[in-house]
Amino acid sequence: MSKKRSSKVPTQDSFRGENAADYTSARWMERIQKASTRRALDLLVDERIGGAIDDDDTRDGIVLDAGCGNGFSTEMILERGFKVVVGIDISPDMLALRHLPNPVILADMGRLPFRNGTFFVVISISAMNFLSQELDDPTKARMIYDRFAKQLNEIMVPGGRGVIEFYPKTPSELEIITKTFGSRAGFQGFLVIDKPGTRKEQKFLIFRK
Ligand SMILES: C[S@@+](CC[C@H](N)C(=O)[O-])C[C@H]1O[C@@H](n2cnc3c(N)ncnc32)[C@H](O)[C@@H]1O
């Protein structure tokens, strides 16, 4: 990945080897990831998923950063006052470039290696869409997102909340994901679209168990 802003759609290779180092040193990427995470954290206190969060929950509730990469998003979550943030990422090269001391796990977020009822918050920024990136078959994509959402529901505590920023490949994939997180997996969920119809459009799922 070049340090200049790239217009290419990222793939898993974008987070391996030298590309991981390029990602980490690209200021524009850091800016975007951090801005997206700050927006996700604002949405975490949306009235539709429960409004303000208790100080006790901020202090004691465990946060999962799914697809944490080198930690740009994690840094913002810690800055917002959450004390315990666990990261998971599939790329050892991205995890090796982290500069934060919080615990991380090298694993596929499609198979979450956590006990039920562990997390109060799940945040995932620009990562979930990689679960279906190689797939053309909508039925398979639906299975993958159903399984992912079901696993998230299991590892969250009752009343737990999540915000996922993502880039669906197609309108039908967006519909699958919105329905899955809307209620199919057991969440109360909503789709939020920022700057719709512009180059800067961003999609966020906000949900509560
Ligand atoms: C665009 S980066 C975003 C990283 C992070 N939000 C940040 O602050 O930099 C996407 C990340 O998702 C990770 N990823 C992609 N597919 C994954 C999977 N199946 N399981 C876990 N992580 C995955 C990549 O390795 C990469 O680190």
Side-chain angles (χ1 to χ4, degrees):
M1 196 188 287
S2 136
K3 281 192 191 174
K4 280 198 183 150
R5 196 166 178 155
S6 163
S7 56
K8 275 205 260 164
V9 176
T11 64
Q12 292 285 4
D13 277 352
S14 311
F15 310 109
R16 300 284 169 147
E18 281 183 11
N19 289 337
D22 285 346
Y23 177 100
T24 302
S25 60
R27 298 302 302 271
W28 64 270
M29 181 57 84
E30 178 174 355
R31 240 185 356 259
I32 290 175
Q33 291 298 315
K34 288 186 170 175
S36 301
T37 312
R38 282 193 295 268
R39 172 68 175 139
L41 290 162
D42 291 345
L43 288 169
L44 198 59
V45 292
D46 189 285
E47 290 300 331
R48 284 170 290 178
I49 56 168
I53 291 177
D54 279 356
D55 286 348
D56 287 353
D57 282 330
T58 309
R59 193 185 54 239
D60 303 330
I62 305 177
V63 182
L64 175 65
D65 181 358
C68 63
N70 61 324
F72 291 146
S73 300
T74 303
E75 200 179 324
M76 295 300 95
I77 301 168
L78 290 165
E79 263 189 37
R80 202 54 78 93
F82 290 98
K83 299 279 180 279
V84 188
V85 183
V86 177
I88 179 170
D89 202 281
I90 203 168
S91 164
D93 303 323
M94 291 292 279
L95 291 179
L97 288 162
R98 290 161 28 78
H99 60 288
L100 298 164
N102 67 303
V104 290
I105 292 173
L106 174 64
D108 181 351
M109 66 193 225
R111 295 174 191 280
L112 292 167
F114 301 109
R115 290 211 183 118
N116 287 358
T118 302
F119 296 97
F120 172 58
V121 168
V122 173
I123 300 281
S124 182
I125 306 296
S126 317
M128 181 178 76
N129 36 282
F130 291 102
L131 290 175
S132 66
Q133 196 178 44
E134 316 265 280
L135 296 178
D136 287 328
D137 179 352
T139 312
K140 283 203 181 126
R142 180 178 158 161
M143 278 168 57
I144 281 180
Y145 287 112
D146 273 351
R147 191 175 64 193
F148 179 58
K150 186 168 169 281
Q151 286 183 70
L152 283 184
N153 191 289
E154 284 169 0
I155 64 167
M156 287 169 73
V157 296
R161 306 172 189 204
V163 179
I164 296 178
E165 187 253 357
F166 67 110
Y167 294 89
K169 277 200 307 281
T170 60
S172 79
E173 189 169 288
L174 175 62
E175 200 186 327
I176 287 169
I177 291 171
T178 307
K179 279 193 183 150
T180 299
F181 281 88
S183 60
R184 212 158 53 212
F187 292 118
Q188 263 179 284
F190 307 88
L191 175 68
V192 176
I193 304 184
D194 281 0
K195 303 193 176 90
T198 71
R199 256 184 348 111
K200 294 191 172 169
E201 178 172 307
Q202 274 189 302
K203 298 186 177 69
F204 296 84
L205 287 165
I206 64 175
F207 51 95
R208 181 186 176 99
K209 175 168 171 177

